[in-house]
Amino acid sequence: MGPAVSGTRKAKLWGGRFRQDTAKSVLAFTSSLPFDRRLYREDIAGSIAHARMLAKQGIISSTEGEAIVNGLVALREEMDRGQFAFDPHLEDIHTAIELALAERIGEVAGKLHTGRSRNDQVALDLRLYVKGAIDQLTGLIQGLERALVGLAEAHVQTIMPGYTHTQRAQPVLLAHHLLAYFEMLERDRERLGDCRRRADVLPLGSGALAGTTFNIDRDFVARELGFGQVSRNSLDAVSDRDFIVEFLAAASLVMAHLSRLAEEVVLWSTPEFGFLTLDQAYATGSSIMPQKLNPDPAELVRGKAGRVFGHLVGMLATLKALPLSYSRDLQEDKEGLFDTVDTVQASLEVLAGLFSTVKVNAPAMRRAAQEGYATATDAADYLARRGLPFRQAHEIVGQLVRYAEERGKALAELSLEEFRRFSALFREDIHQALTVEASVAARDVYGGTAPGQVQARLEEAKRILGMPADGP
Ligand code: ARG
């Protein structure tokens, strides 16, 4: 154990009952200031609302209330300008702000913490922070959605192979494929909005765990800070981090979706696919191979999904079996949360830029859709529409594919006579039915890839995103 630290200057909010100083190693081990300083704006907002309430209730005088509020506002400006020097020996952001306030306005600063504990204070800061983060990320999700929808709009005619098992399956419109991600991202926005509703509960007024003896006005504080609800159980309010778990879970799904999209960028920009050419601003080079244009930004989005999932599991593990109410374990809620916000934010921004600048190689997509017997299902549907049970139709077209494959031909390159060797139900219109255009047009079911269906969903997406009706 290292030597005890003593300070001439006050460095703690709880020195009174201690005769010995805290070990240096313990100070460093327990301090959250290196990361929770990020909460200074939330902490000051909460303190201003609390001080106003204390003055309104006559718990402190209005002159004291004003002095505290003005001091906090000045401190916030100092911190906004980056001019505030954080003392690394302090325990957390709450301590740093309260001590700095005392240095500026004197003893009256000591009245701010009346009827409050750091336990309900930190819960408040985190709820304010999560609400703000959700608003910010929701906006960035819309930014990516706009980029995807803009690209979809330019490609309502572009036909590509749709895949199952990463094998060419059936032709689809590129716009349909891109709009699939719009659907995922819309669910993400909904989930975040849902999480926000449960974060929108004021915990302040719960005290350390049991409530407070002062005649406080919790509804007033809730209104001041824009909370829709006030917590109903003080023990729960200081212990609850469910809203962080929910946020991390919603963020994990965002990253799962982004990693799938990123993986498609990686695949599609290979010369083997040749579907996309990345803008040089969204690719990186190799230090040894001069020809390389690597999709590193997309790969990193794919890779960073893992750490966000890790933060979710880490938070759950921290909460598991914690007895009520507050325990210092809960301080572990912050770093994973902050890193998640940073990671999701950066990933959304990078992908939005990537998709606003990427070049689509429509002829390569079309070629790939025409190869690989992607319209074989259409041949089977053709026979089934003429009365053959689908299972038999499937069998016949399977034989047809094998026959064509052995001759190195596409289905459409077989003659009518050859088709009729397999089934007399084939007519002159079979060639037309096997084009990729006919294949997508035939899937004219709600939610299907027919151009009319895709166009309708595209218009809806643009309306949801507030994009002009004619043009991205
Ligand atoms: N830094 C602490 C945290 O993040 C603040 C609350 C401290 N409360 C306490 N009783 N030590 O959880």
Side-chain angles (χ1 to χ4, degrees):
M1 201 111 315
V5 172
S6 59
T8 44
R9 197 167 143 236
K10 198 169 182 238
K12 285 194 186 84
L13 298 177
W14 41 263
R17 71 98 64 223
F18 285 77
R19 276 200 292 126
Q20 244 186 310
D21 279 328
T22 315
K24 236 183 187 164
S25 59
V26 170
L27 269 187
F29 187 66
T30 54
S31 173
S32 53
L33 190 57
F35 45 90
D36 70 8
R37 43 187 282 189
R38 183 162 169 161
L39 294 171
Y40 81 86
R41 293 196 119 256
E42 288 78 7
D43 199 73
I44 289 176
S47 288
I48 289 175
H50 184 66
R52 284 199 181 124
M53 182 277 292
L54 291 176
K56 181 187 82 78
Q57 296 296 92
I59 299 167
I60 61 176
S61 75
S62 56
T63 331
E64 290 167 336
E66 263 169 50
I68 291 172
V69 170
N70 293 340
L72 287 168
V73 170
L75 197 55
R76 180 167 60 196
E77 276 165 17
E78 214 179 301
M79 290 181 172
D80 280 345
R81 286 196 302 266
Q83 283 166 350
F84 184 85
F86 284 96
D87 176 352
H89 294 107
L90 298 184
E91 192 175 323
D92 52 31
I93 185 64
H94 325 296
T95 307
I97 288 174
E98 198 178 314
L99 294 183
L101 187 67
E103 275 173 16
R104 281 156 185 77
I105 66 169
E107 238 178 18
V108 60
K111 295 206 168 187
L112 169 61
H113 213 52
T114 314
R116 185 176 78 168
S117 156
R118 277 184 298 161
N119 296 350
D120 56 352
Q121 186 179 357
V122 73
L124 169 67
D125 292 3
L126 286 164
R127 284 176 180 272
L128 284 172
Y129 175 82
V130 165
K131 284 170 65 181
I134 288 174
D135 294 343
Q136 187 210 2
L137 293 182
T138 303
L140 291 174
I141 291 175
Q142 280 183 302
L144 175 57
E145 288 178 324
R146 285 198 187 92
L148 293 171
V149 168
L151 191 62
E153 185 157 42
H155 290 281
V156 219
Q157 304 296 331
T158 302
I159 296 177
M160 60 170 283
Y163 294 85
T164 61
H165 313 272
T166 329
Q167 304 283 330
R168 288 170 193 155
Q170 292 173 353
V172 294
L173 297 180
L174 172 57
H176 195 50
H177 193 110
L178 293 169
L179 287 175
Y181 285 96
F182 172 75
E183 300 295 337
M184 295 177 228
L185 292 169
E186 281 296 284
R187 288 197 296 276
D188 288 330
R189 287 209 296 147
E190 240 178 68
R191 246 184 305 270
L192 285 168
D194 202 36
C195 164
R196 194 186 191 283
R197 274 189 289 285
R198 271 178 302 278
D200 192 22
V201 180
L202 176 87
L204 204 69
S206 302
L209 74 162
T212 173
T213 57
F214 293 92
N215 175 33
I216 61 170
D217 183 346
R218 299 189 66 200
D219 293 318
F220 173 85
V221 177
R223 274 195 304 278
E224 285 282 296
L225 293 170
F227 278 97
Q229 288 186 60
V230 172
S231 63
R232 293 181 288 264
N233 181 301
S234 60
L235 292 167
D236 178 44
V238 297
S239 317
D240 175 25
R241 297 294 184 272
D242 292 1
F243 64 100
I244 296 184
V245 173
E246 284 188 52
F247 173 78
L248 295 174
S252 291
L253 271 171
V254 173
M255 289 308 292
H257 296 150
L258 298 190
S259 73
R260 297 178 82 164
L261 181 59
E263 168 65 5
E264 305 215 274
V265 169
V266 171
L267 276 178
W268 291 8
S269 61
T270 58
E272 284 77 1
F273 272 82
F275 289 179
L276 299 179
T277 307
L278 296 176
D279 191 274
Q280 296 204 358
Y282 289 90
T284 48
S286 157
S287 59
I288 173 170
M289 298 164 282
Q291 85 283 10
K292 296 282 281 211
L293 201 78
N294 290 330
D296 294 32
E299 290 170 72
L300 273 168
V301 169
R302 190 177 60 183
K304 282 174 189 289
R307 65 199 273 170
V308 173
F309 302 171
H311 295 319
L312 168 62
V313 175
M315 188 69 240
L316 284 168
T318 296
L319 290 178
K320 180 185 177 295
L322 259 195
L324 295 183
S325 61
Y326 180 87
S327 292
R328 195 63 175 269
D329 311 46
L330 291 174
Q331 180 168 292
E332 286 295 307
D333 57 9
K334 291 173 195 63
E335 287 157 290
L337 170 64
F338 296 153
D339 183 64
T340 295
V341 172
D342 293 342
T343 303
V344 176
Q345 178 195 325
S347 302
L348 286 166
E349 282 171 352
V350 161
L351 284 181
L354 188 153
F355 275 96
S356 319
T357 52
V358 74
K359 293 278 165 300
V360 171
N361 187 349
M365 287 188 165
R366 197 196 153 78
R367 242 184 341 269
Q370 280 169 331
E371 293 164 3
Y373 305 98
T375 58
T377 315
D378 297 273
D381 285 352
Y382 179 100
L383 294 176
R385 248 191 309 278
R386 280 156 186 75
L388 201 63
F390 183 79
R391 277 292 144 241
Q392 282 181 43
H394 185 287
E395 175 68 23
I396 289 172
V397 176
Q399 291 164 8
L400 247 170
V401 167
R402 195 176 62 200
Y403 172 90
E405 205 172 36
E406 281 164 7
R407 281 153 189 79
K409 285 181 172 177
L411 277 186
E413 287 168 347
L414 300 177
S415 68
L416 179 58
E417 194 267 316
E418 285 173 302
F419 273 107
R420 291 179 64 90
R421 259 185 248 161
F422 291 83
S423 168
L425 292 172
F426 284 121
R427 302 281 156 78
E428 310 74 48
D429 58 354
I430 181 59
H431 289 100
Q432 163 58 25
L434 295 186
T435 61
V436 290
E437 283 78 11
S439 175
V440 293
R443 283 166 178 77
D444 196 11
V445 60
Y446 182 76
T449 198
Q453 299 290 347
V454 174
Q455 188 71 53
R457 187 56 186 150
L458 183 70
E459 291 310 322
E460 229 175 300
K462 281 163 56 183
R463 191 181 44 72
I464 291 168
L465 295 171
M467 293 166 77
D470 47 325

